[in-house]
Amino acid sequence: MMEQARNQLIFALDVETLAEAETWVRRLRDRVGVFKVGKQLFTRCGPDAVRMIRDNGGRVFLDLKYHDIPNTVAGACREAGRLGVAMFTLHALGGGAMMAAAASALNEMFSSNPQQRPLALAVTVLTSMNEDSLREIGVSLPPAEIVPRLAALAQKAGMTGVVASPQETPVIRQTCGKDLIIVTPGVRPASAAADDQKRVATPYQAILSGADYLVVGRPISKASDPEAAVGGILEEMARAFADR
């Protein structure tokens, strides 16, 4: 179970420079299976960040949350595939046609070697948002209702999985079944601060409720002993995999 936990823990490289990112990758690559490259690092360093992680033996979660017209997103997904990332994100709020175009582009690109196809993950509702935040932008449904609706739309469009808060994972499982992959941010050990996340859970709770991958950043990077912090998270994940 510990190896499964390691393979399914994603560390968020929310840093400014390639040198900082490589320091973290070298430090944690034996403990963490996947490294997340988000907007800050990719905007500054571009594909070099992805190549650096792969050169150091890590898998890459490219978290750029594509959201545009279908043709533009399909092209971006092809480029993510060419970079050799293990998984990437787009916004479910882009709609069914956008997600279907992305899935079609990947299916065509990897028709001869489907095992190399990256996981295409649709972001449902950001974990920094709650019912009040949604109401501000004109969405009257609470997260517990809109998230499974978006997850079902993503599944129908051919997405491999979704990104969702641990609080909505059980209802996604009820709606979409066991085959849809769920990546869960907003994960905080009980001793860690929530920071700007509003819908959170501990690693044990998140896995037990049905998550497949966990994304963790500041509870590791801001810890006095990051390696010990990773170890504690892995132990919680492994216990949850065994218990569910």
Side-chain angles (χ1 to χ4, degrees):
M1 292 300 177
M2 283 296 285
E3 184 63 18
Q4 181 181 4
R6 189 193 76 82
N7 287 334
Q8 294 174 219
L9 175 61
I10 302 169
F11 175 62
L13 288 170
D14 295 329
V15 297
E16 294 183 359
T17 68
L18 192 63
E20 289 178 276
E22 185 162 18
T23 296
W24 279 113
V25 171
R26 289 180 178 273
R27 186 171 181 178
L28 298 179
R29 61 187 174 187
D30 293 332
R31 295 174 169 85
V32 172
V34 187
F35 294 90
K36 181 176 82 72
V37 175
K39 289 183 174 67
Q40 180 182 15
L41 185 60
F42 196 83
T43 299
R44 177 155 185 178
C45 303
D48 286 346
V50 175
R51 298 187 188 104
M52 176 275 292
I53 295 167
R54 297 192 67 210
D55 288 347
N56 278 283
R59 290 180 292 151
V60 180
F61 173 28
L62 186 63
D63 187 24
L64 300 182
K65 301 180 179 70
Y66 303 134
H67 188 174
D68 212 310
I69 63 172
N71 186 63
T72 298
V73 169
C77 293
R78 291 189 193 96
E79 296 309 319
R82 288 191 180 97
L83 280 176
V85 304
M87 54 184 75
F88 68 88
T89 54
L90 48 76
H91 265 293
L93 287 170
M98 186 199 81
M99 290 188 284
S104 178
L106 290 172
N107 290 339
E108 180 180 353
M109 183 176 182
F110 292 94
S111 59
S112 61
N113 54 344
Q115 71 279 1
Q116 297 297 318
R117 185 186 189 274
L119 305 182
L121 306 168
V123 176
T124 54
V125 175
L126 298 174
T127 52
S128 60
M129 301 184 77
N130 57 18
E131 192 166 348
D132 292 337
S133 306
L134 290 171
R135 194 177 297 113
E136 283 181 342
I137 60 172
V139 178
S140 58
L141 295 177
E145 292 184 36
I146 191 171
V147 167
R149 179 180 296 190
L150 290 171
L153 180 64
Q155 187 176 43
K156 182 179 179 181
M159 295 294 96
T160 323
V162 295
V163 179
S165 152
Q167 294 185 11
E168 286 82 53
T169 302
V171 71
I172 292 174
R173 285 284 174 233
Q174 292 172 10
T175 303
C176 300
K178 65 180 181 179
D179 293 332
L180 190 71
I181 291 171
I182 302 177
V183 175
T184 300
V187 175
R188 294 289 186 275
S191 60
D195 297 310
D196 54 358
Q197 306 282 8
K198 294 180 179 177
R199 296 175 0 263
V200 301
T202 66
Y204 179 83
Q205 291 168 337
I207 294 295
L208 197 65
S209 69
D212 295 297
Y213 291 83
L214 303 187
V215 182
V216 185
R218 283 169 286 188
I220 295 173
S221 62
K222 301 300 183 184
S224 58
D225 186 340
E227 287 83 358
V230 171
I233 291 167
L234 292 177
E235 287 177 5
E236 283 196 54
M237 291 175 68
R239 184 159 49 90
F241 281 129
D243 287 348
R244 78 179 191 184

